[in-house]
Amino acid sequence: MFVNKEILTSEDVHLLVKSTNGFFARDWDLGLGWNNMRYIIETALLQARLLNRTLILPSFVYARGCQYEYHVCGDYAPMVNKGDAVGSDEWRELPIEQQMAWMIPIEIMLNITHLRETHPVITTTDYLLLHGYDPSEENTSGYWKRTEYHTRANVITGTVPSFYAIENPWYDPEGTIRVDTIPEAMQARADNHSRVLDGSIDSKLRQRLPEGKSILEWDTVQSALNSTDEAELERGVVAGGWEVLYTYDSIVGLDYNKAVVSPIKQIAPLSTIHSFDQFGNQTQDVILMAGGVHYGRKPGSMLFTTREAQDEFARIVMYDMKRIDPLLDLAETLVERMYEITEGRQWMAVHMRRGDFVRYGWVMESTPEAHMSRVIRHLDEGREILSSLNVSDSLRTYDVPGLSGPNDDTIKHPPSLADDWFFVATDERDPKVLDYFRGEGAVFMDDIMTIADRRAFGEVSDVSWALMISDVRALVEQVILSRAAFFYGHAMSSVPGGVLNLRAMRGADPRTSVID
C-alpha cells in the first residue's frame, strides 16, 4: 500500500514520490469524454509502473452534459467554454449551451483513495502545491506546461524539478513495436549476433505480413506454419527470429472501446521490438509522455511480452480503476429496481449512443425509429441466447484474471418476456425521442431513480449535486448495464468497453453481450 487517503499534504506527496524514481506526467487530452480518459489513465498507470514513477493525474476532467439548463450545473461546478479551455474549434458551430463544459474533480470520477492502495498517484494540484504554485495555474487543456511547471523549487527539498520528454514520434515509429519490457531470454536472443535463424520459417511468416505492418495475427501464424500445436508454433516462431506477444482482440475489427476481456497472441520480428521500460534509464525528476498514444492502438497502448504481464494490466483495468462507493451503492439500488419492474425476471440493457455520433455520422442508424428497431432485433436475439443458457448450456466466463468461476445470477431468475421493460443508457436529449423510446419499452435512469434515492446519495456523499452531471450519471449507468442478463452496445463507442470489463470481472457469460 502506498497511501490510503484522498487528500494529501505536500509532505505526503514528497514521501510518496521519494519512494519511486520521480514523477510521470502525461499530456492529458481533456477534450475527450470520460471513457476515453479512463482508458488513457489505465495506460498511464501501466507506463508509470514500468518506470517505477508516481503518476500525475489531471485534477479535473470536463463533463459534457447537464441534466438541466446548462447554467444550473454552472451554479455547482465551474463552467467553461470547452473549445476555449482545450484550444479546439470542434464545437464552435454548435449552440452556445452545447459548447459548455463543467470542471469535475477527478476524485468524483475515480476512487483515488482505492487507487492509491496499489499505485503511487497524485493530482496536478498536488504537484503544483509541492512546487509553490497556485492550483489555478493548472493548464485548462490538460497538457503539461514544460516550462512553467519547472521554474519553482520543491517546497520540501528546495530544488527545481528537472525534466525529460518522451516525444510522441519516439513512441512507436514506423517499423517498431512497443512492448512493456523485454524478458531476459528474449534479450539474450537479441544480443546473440551469431544466432542462426530458420530462414524457411521467417520467409513463410514475412510473406503473410500486410504491407506496412510488423504484426501477424495468431491464426495467420497457424496457417503459415500449418500447425495448431501451440507449443510447436511458439518454438517455430522463435526459431524464425520472431517473438510471441500478448494483447487483446478487437471487437468487430475495431479498437475503440479498449476492452481487456479477450486476450490473444500476435507475433512480431524480434528486430522490431522495443520496450517502454527502456525510458527508465532517465533520471530526471519529471518524465513526460508527450501527446496521445491511444488512437489506433490496443489496450495499454503497447503489447506484452508475457501473459503474466498482460494479466497484471487487466487487473489494473478491472480492479484498481474503481468508482466511488456512493455511485456504486446507487447503482445497486437501481439494479434491484429493474428486477422489481420486471417482477424478478431477467432484464436486458442497451447503450444507445446518439448525441454527437448523429452529428458525426457514426450512429448505428440515422433515425430514432431505425435505431430502436435495431435494438429490439438484438434484444429478441438476446432473449433466445438467455433461453438456451437456461435450458442446456454450461456457463462460460471471459478469460480474465481474478475469477473464481462463472456468475450464475443470470439463470437464477425467470426468463425475460417479450414485452418486459429494458434499461437504456443514452445521450439522446430530445424529449420526443425519449418518449418514443419509452413507448417501445425503454426505461431510463430517471424513470427508476426516486427522490429518496437522490437524498440517500446526498447523505453519503458531499457531492450530491454531481447527479445533475450526465457524465457522472453515466458511471452509474455503466454499472447497471453490466448487471443486465443481456447487454447490447455499439463498437465505435468507448462506453461498451467499460461495460464489458465490468461484466467480465463479475463472471458474466461472454455470449450474453453483443457489440456491433
Side-chain angles (χ1 to χ4, degrees):
M1 180 182 294
F2 287 95
V3 63
N4 186 24
K5 54 183 177 179
E6 180 177 321
I7 300 174
L8 305 181
T9 66
S10 289
E11 182 65 30
D12 291 331
V13 175
H14 170 67
L15 293 175
L16 184 60
V17 176
K18 189 177 178 181
S19 70
T20 67
N21 292 335
F23 300 95
F24 181 66
R26 288 287 305 260
D27 282 334
W28 304 106
D29 187 352
L30 296 185
L32 297 172
W34 170 250
N35 280 286
N36 297 104
M37 288 300 302
R38 170 186 53 77
Y39 64 62
I40 292 171
I41 291 172
E42 292 163 359
T43 294
L45 289 166
L46 169 64
Q47 293 170 331
R49 175 172 284 182
L50 289 169
L51 302 182
N52 186 28
R53 285 181 171 263
T54 299
L55 176 62
I56 307 173
L57 292 172
S59 304
F60 56 86
V61 293
Y62 292 118
R64 297 187 284 186
C66 176
Q67 292 297 117
Y68 305 96
E69 293 295 328
Y70 69 97
H71 57 81
V72 176
C73 288
D75 289 339
Y76 293 89
M79 185 171 65
V80 299
N81 183 295
K82 189 173 180 180
D84 293 343
V86 303
S88 172
D89 292 326
E90 180 179 348
W91 308 278
R92 297 294 182 198
E93 302 304 316
L94 297 177
I96 189 64
E97 64 270 15
Q98 295 181 33
Q99 297 183 39
M100 295 296 106
W102 297 265
M103 298 171 69
I104 307 300
I106 192 72
E107 294 87 354
I108 293 178
M109 305 301 292
L110 179 64
N111 189 333
I112 198 168
T113 306
H114 174 77
L115 185 61
R116 282 179 175 145
E117 293 180 1
T118 50
H119 298 270
V121 168
I122 63 171
T123 65
T124 304
T125 289
D126 294 326
Y127 174 89
L128 293 176
L129 290 173
L130 182 63
H131 295 91
Y133 298 92
D134 189 277
S136 64
E137 296 180 68
E138 182 167 352
N139 194 348
T140 59
S141 73
Y143 270 51
W144 191 255
K145 293 182 179 180
R146 298 187 179 200
T147 301
E148 292 93 328
Y149 289 173
H150 295 269
T151 58
R152 298 184 187 177
N154 183 308
V155 297
I156 305 293
T157 66
T159 60
V160 176
S162 54
F163 173 77
Y164 176 82
I166 305 170
E167 300 296 354
N168 196 265
W170 304 349
Y171 192 73
D172 49 6
E174 186 176 353
T176 66
I177 303 298
R178 184 63 67 184
V179 300
D180 55 338
T181 188
I182 296 181
E184 187 175 329
M186 188 184 295
Q187 188 62 56
R189 290 192 287 273
D191 294 340
N192 185 0
H193 301 296
S194 61
R195 180 178 172 220
V196 179
L197 302 178
D198 188 321
S200 174
I201 291 178
D202 182 44
S203 177
K204 290 176 181 177
L205 296 175
R206 289 188 182 275
Q207 287 174 11
R208 301 296 184 99
L209 269 179
E211 185 176 355
K213 302 293 184 180
S214 302
I215 288 283
L216 274 182
E217 301 295 335
W218 193 248
D219 58 352
T220 303
V221 177
Q222 292 174 324
S223 175
L225 301 186
N226 193 29
S227 174
T228 57
D229 184 301
E230 297 289 297
E232 179 183 55
L233 285 169
E234 291 188 10
R235 288 193 298 270
V237 164
V238 171
W242 295 56
E243 295 291 337
V244 178
L245 302 175
Y246 301 83
T247 186
Y248 300 94
D249 203 3
S250 304
I251 295 180
V252 295
L254 301 173
D255 285 316
Y256 291 119
N257 59 55
K258 305 288 193 275
V260 296
V261 300
S262 301
I264 60 171
K265 291 189 287 190
Q266 296 177 329
I267 69 167
L270 175 55
S271 60
T272 67
I273 295 173
H274 299 265
S275 69
F276 186 78
D277 67 357
Q278 74 182 59
F279 297 111
N281 294 327
Q282 302 299 325
T283 60
Q284 288 84 350
D285 296 310
V286 177
I287 289 182
L288 166 71
M289 178 66 249
V293 292
H294 62 281
Y295 187 74
R297 297 180 176 92
K298 294 286 189 181
S301 297
M302 64 183 74
L303 277 66
F304 301 90
T305 51
T306 66
R307 176 59 195 265
E308 292 75 18
Q310 181 185 35
D311 282 349
E312 280 302 308
F313 176 65
R315 288 187 177 92
I316 291 174
V317 173
M318 294 193 295
Y319 303 112
D320 298 348
M321 292 282 289
K322 185 180 176 184
R323 289 156 176 76
I324 60 174
D325 290 341
L327 293 177
L328 291 174
D329 293 341
L330 176 59
E332 288 295 327
T333 298
L334 301 184
V335 165
E336 289 306 311
R337 200 147 293 140
M338 282 303 301
Y339 279 114
E340 290 174 12
I341 66 173
T342 57
E343 299 179 339
R345 291 185 292 275
Q346 298 169 345
W347 51 273
M348 299 187 283
V350 177
H351 176 242
M352 295 181 71
R353 180 66 185 268
R354 296 190 60 76
D356 57 348
F357 270 36
V358 175
R359 188 167 74 249
Y360 297 139
W362 297 345
V363 71
M364 296 299 293
E365 301 287 352
S366 58
T367 68
E369 293 79 10
H371 200 162
M372 180 53 71
S373 293
R374 188 186 190 105
V375 165
I376 297 297
R377 191 165 60 250
H378 279 291
L379 293 183
D380 288 340
E381 295 169 358
R383 201 170 287 108
E384 293 179 7
I385 291 171
L386 293 172
S387 177
S388 71
L389 295 181
N390 277 333
V391 173
S392 62
D393 222 348
S394 59
L395 294 176
R396 308 171 189 170
T397 66
Y398 290 95
D399 186 6
V400 297
L403 293 183
S404 58
N407 187 321
D408 62 357
D409 282 353
T410 296
I411 60 176
K412 287 181 178 178
H413 294 272
S416 170
L417 301 180
D419 59 352
D420 273 346
W421 298 101
F422 54 92
F423 182 79
V424 172
T426 183
D427 54 355
E428 178 62 63
R429 291 293 174 264
D430 187 324
K432 293 182 179 179
V433 173
L434 294 176
D435 283 343
Y436 165 70
F437 288 166
R438 284 189 180 96
E440 295 297 311
V443 172
F444 305 108
M445 184 170 164
D446 273 338
D447 298 329
I448 55 175
M449 183 168 60
T450 66
I451 292 176
D453 296 331
R454 297 172 189 269
R455 288 174 177 165
F457 179 79
E459 289 172 0
V460 297
S461 168
D462 58 0
V463 288
S464 56
W465 56 266
L467 291 180
M468 295 192 300
I469 303 295
S470 302
D471 304 61
V472 176
R473 292 161 65 101
L475 295 174
V476 178
E477 290 177 325
Q478 276 191 308
V479 177
I480 300 172
L481 294 171
S482 76
R483 299 290 297 277
F486 177 83
F487 167 67
Y488 167 59
H490 182 14
M492 289 189 69
S493 170
S494 55
V495 171
V499 175
L500 289 183
N501 291 336
L502 290 169
R503 292 178 71 83
M505 67 184 284
R506 282 185 52 80
D509 192 304
R511 293 166 292 179
T512 63
S513 295
V514 171
I515 311 295
D516 75 357

